[in-house]
Amino acid sequence: MRNLVSDGNPSSQINLVIERCLGGPPPTDMMQQVALKQAPVTQFLKILPASFR
């Protein structure tokens, strides 16, 4: 994700890549924030659906 951001890809495209990798629509915006160290991973885990855990 960091490479996608540093390459200048828009958030919508990064979200699409995340969804393809995980096989479904997780909370992609939060996942980006965690990857870029803008939010703690614990915050992401709280909102992650049980199907992804």
Side-chain angles (χ1 to χ4, degrees), residues 1-6 11 14-15 17-18 22 27-45 47:
M1 279 185 263
R2 291 181 187 162
N3 287 341
L4 292 169
V5 171
S6 66
S11 288
I14 296 169
N15 287 347
V17 170
I18 294 168
L22 295 179
T28 53
D29 292 331
M30 176 58 68
M31 200 170 187
Q32 280 188 52
Q33 291 175 359
V34 170
L36 298 172
K37 298 181 180 179
Q38 297 172 346
V41 71
T42 53
Q43 187 176 352
F44 173 70
L45 293 174
I47 64 169

